[in-house]
Structures are given as structure tokens and as C-alpha cells.
Amino acid sequence: MGSFALSPTNEKELMKRVGDIAGLTFGELAAQLNVKVPENFKREKGWSGQLIELALGASAGSKPQQDFPELGIELKTLPLSYNNQPLETTYVCYAPLTGLSGIHWETSNVKNKLQKVLWVPIQGEREIPPKDRIIGQGFIWQPNQRQQQLLQQDWEELMDMICLGKVEQITARIGEVLQIRPKAANGKALTDAIGKDGRPITTRPRGFYLRKNFTQHILDEVFC
DNA sequence: CGCTGATCATCA
DNA sequence: TGATGATCAGCG
């Protein structure tokens, strides 16, 4: 999609940009940025997020860091239904399957990424052509104590399973607010993990995702 | 391959 | 019909 040099130097500047794109359609914003809008997202699944990244000046790339490192802010788009309910779970980060000695919630990638999130709601109904989908008013969220506790509980349960060689027993049904699901280009992608009796195995890469109920609560806090 | 950005599509 | 498991594109 291309790169965008200008990056906001502070949160106020970032939120000004957020306000500027609120209410625009993907088509209108894409035109400003000289980007072509796909007919659907069957192939370009990450297009919405990349468009918003470009518009807000987020640092592109595949670095396992926050989108705005200087501001300590992570950017997430959130596709909503007509009733303003999340249509998809939210990808958080890759799930580590090896090199787990001394790993702890406090220093985990999940906690770091969710410490401060800029949520940008977007219309997500599939019957709306991408060019006509409207961008909502983005907002900053930081997990409260209760939310932190829920996230930590799930993270620890899931990481315990990974450490104990039970990654193959993990399904998306585990975890109240955080789940683990496959995260790869296809089923052929394999990575190292721990198997039964601590034996090394190879398995599909996994990622952490926030359940829709959890992001729904975040929306409720802000928009009532 | 690892990781980002995510949504798709099948089946219970 | 909604959630789980699978998949698509790009980059270092």
C-alpha cells in the first residue's frame, strides 16, 4: 500500500488525525492517499487496517511492537455490525511456543500491546462495499484492573498449556476473553513447539485474539 | 519463517 | 447463524 513518512509526535496530534478521518468512507480516504479500494476483502484481508495506519502515520512493517512506539500506543481497527457490535475477534500478537523459560505476564507481548490501544471502529458489514464503509470515531482505551485480571488469567492458563507441551490440546474455546487460534499463511506453515514429555514437535503457528464479548464491553464503556 | 494487518468460510 | 479453524497479502 506504500509508506507514509509523517508520524504524529504526540497523542494530541494523533487524535486530531483520528478526528479528521472519522466520518469518511474508505473510498474517500483512499482517494486522498492515492490508494485503490478492493471490491471485497477475500484477498486483501488486512486492507482496512493498513489504510488507517497509512492515514494516521503508523510505522509500517511486521515488527512485533506497538504501532506508535514513541507514544506507547497500539492501533486496532474494529469492524462493527449495523448494531455497533464487533463482527470479528481482534488479533493481538503471535503466541510464543518456544523459548518460554522465565516468561511472565508482566513482560508479555500481550500485556505490552494492550497497555494502551487506539480503537478505530469501522463499518464491517460484508454487504457494504468497502468503498462505502464509514470510519468511526476512534478512541484511546487502557484496560482497567478487572480487564487486566481477566486477560492475565487467560494468558496464564494458555501459556501454562504451551509450556506443559499441550499446545495441540488448545482450542479457541479456552479462555474467557483471550483465545488462541491458528495464525499462518496456510496449513503448511509449521513452527517449533513443545510436545508430550517435553519432546520438541512442529505445529501450526498460533496467535492471541480478543473475544468479541470483550471488545463489546470496551465499546460499551465509551459509547454507553 | 515470523510477524504484521486482518477476514473468510465451513460446520456444528 | 455464529464461532472456530483456515486463510490472504506484504515485508524483513
Side-chain angles (χ1 to χ4, degrees):
Chain A
M1 190 178 290
S3 60
F4 193 76
L6 305 179
S7 182
T9 55
N10 57 58
E11 188 172 322
K12 187 179 177 185
E13 197 177 316
L14 171 60
M15 295 313 289
K16 168 70 163 60
R17 294 191 189 185
V18 169
D20 286 345
I21 65 172
L24 296 180
T25 63
F26 284 167
E28 291 168 340
L29 182 56
Q32 291 181 18
L33 300 170
N34 291 311
V35 169
K36 283 198 70 175
V37 187
E39 292 299 311
N40 57 60
F41 294 142
K42 287 181 182 178
R43 304 196 70 84
E44 296 175 74
K45 297 181 178 180
W47 188 88
S48 302
Q50 290 167 349
L51 181 75
I52 304 301
E53 277 188 345
L54 190 62
L56 299 181
S59 32
S62 59
K63 301 176 294 292
Q65 301 164 12
Q66 288 147 321
D67 296 290
F68 300 96
E70 294 80 7
L71 308 181
I73 294 175
E74 171 73 10
L75 172 64
K76 291 290 176 198
T77 55
L78 186 56
L80 301 183
S81 69
Y82 292 124
N83 295 327
N84 293 321
Q85 295 180 323
L87 283 168
E88 301 287 349
T89 55
T90 301
Y91 170 70
V92 180
C93 62
Y94 233 48
L97 303 181
T98 57
L100 305 166
S101 62
I103 200 164
H104 188 271
W105 163 251
E106 295 301 330
T107 56
S108 70
N109 210 213
V110 172
K111 182 180 181 185
N112 177 252
K113 286 233 175 182
L114 298 181
Q115 201 65 20
K116 194 168 188 178
V117 178
L118 167 57
W119 294 98
V120 177
I122 56 177
Q123 280 189 331
E125 295 284 1
R126 292 187 198 181
E127 67 177 43
I128 306 176
K131 69 173 174 54
D132 296 328
R133 296 191 193 183
I134 296 172
I135 300 162
Q137 177 59 55
F139 61 94
I140 295 285
W141 165 81
Q142 294 192 263
N144 60 34
Q145 196 172 30
R146 170 68 175 153
Q147 291 165 334
Q148 291 260 14
Q149 183 187 6
L150 291 169
L151 290 166
Q152 179 174 355
Q153 281 177 9
D154 288 343
W155 182 89
E156 288 177 345
E157 178 181 6
L158 291 162
M159 289 309 300
D160 277 350
M161 292 184 71
I162 291 173
C163 291
L164 293 172
K166 297 180 177 176
V167 63
E168 301 284 28
Q169 295 171 43
I170 293 178
T171 75
R173 295 167 187 80
I174 299 175
E176 280 186 42
V177 300
L178 192 68
Q179 63 181 176
I180 280 182
R181 306 215 307 276
K183 173 66 173 174
N186 53 57
K188 296 169 193 164
L190 294 173
T191 191
D192 295 333
I194 305 166
K196 262 181 285 186
D197 305 317
R199 303 291 179 187
I201 62 168
T202 185
T203 188
R204 286 150 37 255
R206 315 299 166 93
F208 284 105
Y209 294 80
L210 295 177
R211 290 189 183 281
K212 287 195 267 183
N213 279 349
F214 187 74
T215 47
Q216 175 72 69
H217 288 316
I218 294 173
L219 286 171
D220 293 343
E221 289 175 358
V222 176
F223 299 104
C224 301

